[in-house]
Amino acid sequence: MSDYQTARFALGARLRELRADSGLTGKALAAGLGWPASKISKIELGKQSPTVDDLRVWTDAVGAADALPELTSRLRTLETQYAAWRRQLAAGVRARQEAWHVTESGAAEVRNFESAVIPGLLQTAEYARHMFIRTTELHRTKQDVEAGVNARLQRQQALYTPGRSFHFIIWEPALHMLLCPREVMAGQLDRLTTLFGMTTVTLSIVPLGASLSVVPTHGFWIFDDQLVMAETIGAELRLTDAADLALYRTVWDELEAAAATGREAHRFIARARVSLGPDVS
């Protein structure tokens, strides 16, 4: 069970507790609210998320109006933390890139770790194009790929803004992951080598054979130590709880300690480039 599912189950259990304390059965509560009994069951079992209005009428019906602020806070946390990609991409990848830009633009320091792909802010147009094609096909969403590519390239202008800092850590397998044609990957690796020496960007590589005390299971972003965004296959998480922020910062610090920088990092990229073969230009 994911953290999201666990939290939704806990919210349902709390609502069931309030109903039971009032002496109402599920059927009686449903009848009083004019709901089908199945809705009560789904909410209490964590199979359906209630709305704020649902919480309001529920707490009124069971005589627990004072619990509404607590329940609303729990619901808001669910809505803030979890956004399914199908819903995220409903308006297309361009809209998603523009939303990322809004989040990034408010941060002076951005940290990004990726375990399997090249970070979006460092992608070439061709590499980004193949990523968006894969994403829209997987989630069967609007395929405005070219608009998404242009929006991603616009986001990359932030890398050249004085006074801002961007720190990227890439796990070495991402340098070898062929999610695009070999010639596109070659151009992408060449692009990475141009970043060394930039005053606003640091790029590090965690070697495949590095001894790690943490498991880099997925990529994540840290914005000014105030917000963490993590991407899973099914959803995007936005985390602001102090404990979550501390956890991700600890993982970042461990990865950073194991990562190669400067010339050594450059050598890992060059080695990946050579592995593509002599016939790839």
Side-chain angles (χ1 to χ4, degrees):
M1 185 178 291
S2 69
D3 290 342
Y4 170 76
Q5 291 170 315
T6 299
R8 188 163 70 171
F9 182 82
L11 175 59
R14 177 70 173 126
L15 289 168
R16 182 172 63 251
E17 177 184 37
L18 293 173
R19 174 187 57 75
D21 287 346
S22 73
L24 290 173
T25 65
K27 289 183 178 180
L29 177 59
L33 297 178
W35 293 358
S38 61
K39 181 173 179 177
I40 299 292
S41 177
K42 288 179 180 178
I43 290 176
E44 290 188 347
L45 294 175
K47 296 180 179 180
Q48 176 179 330
S49 295
T51 66
V52 172
D53 286 339
D54 289 340
L55 296 177
R56 182 175 296 108
V57 296
W58 187 302
T59 53
D60 284 345
V62 300
D66 57 339
L68 181 60
E70 168 214 336
L71 297 170
T72 301
S73 177
R74 291 190 185 210
L75 180 62
R76 292 304 187 204
T77 298
L78 286 177
E79 293 174 342
T80 299
Q81 288 189 344
Y82 183 96
W85 284 120
R86 182 70 64 87
R87 188 169 76 246
Q88 288 269 60
L89 297 170
V93 290
R94 174 184 175 179
R96 188 69 204 105
Q97 291 302 299
E98 291 173 345
W100 265 96
H101 173 69
V102 171
T103 300
E104 291 165 349
S105 62
E109 183 175 40
V110 177
R111 297 179 178 88
N112 179 205
F113 166 73
E114 294 295 349
S115 61
V117 300
I118 304 303
L121 285 178
L122 307 181
Q123 292 177 6
T124 65
E126 280 297 313
Y127 186 96
R129 184 171 291 112
H130 284 277
M131 295 303 100
F132 287 143
I133 289 172
R134 288 176 177 274
T135 297
T136 56
E137 288 180 349
L138 175 63
H139 298 287
R140 297 187 178 93
T141 55
K142 181 179 178 180
Q143 297 192 5
D144 59 334
V145 170
E146 293 309 311
V149 171
N150 291 333
R152 173 158 285 179
L153 295 181
Q154 286 296 316
R155 281 177 55 204
Q156 294 178 2
Q157 295 305 307
L159 299 176
Y160 306 97
T161 304
R164 301 189 67 187
S165 59
F166 295 83
H167 307 281
F168 299 95
I169 299 178
I170 304 175
W171 200 26
E172 187 184 2
L175 303 177
H176 298 270
M177 196 80 70
L178 287 178
L179 302 173
C180 58
R182 289 178 180 272
E183 60 272 15
V184 172
M185 192 63 186
Q188 177 61 72
L189 294 174
D190 290 342
R191 157 68 171 155
L192 293 182
T193 63
T194 68
L195 300 171
F196 294 98
M198 288 185 62
T199 59
T200 58
V201 175
T202 62
L203 174 59
S204 305
I205 308 296
V206 177
L208 185 58
S211 177
L212 299 175
S213 60
V214 295
V215 181
T217 53
H218 59 74
F220 60 88
W221 296 71
I222 304 176
F223 299 95
D224 284 339
D225 287 331
Q226 300 296 315
L227 167 68
V228 166
M229 293 182 68
E231 296 182 344
T232 70
I233 292 176
E236 174 189 277
L237 305 178
R238 297 175 65 94
L239 308 173
T240 57
D241 182 78
D244 289 327
L245 294 172
L247 179 63
Y248 275 88
R249 182 55 192 268
T250 296
V251 172
W252 174 272
D253 290 343
E254 293 291 336
L255 292 170
E256 188 175 46
T261 59
R263 291 182 178 179
E264 188 179 359
H266 192 289
R267 282 196 292 270
F268 281 108
I269 297 171
R271 186 167 65 186
R273 178 68 168 81
V274 170
S275 72
L276 293 173
D279 57 332
V280 179
S281 59

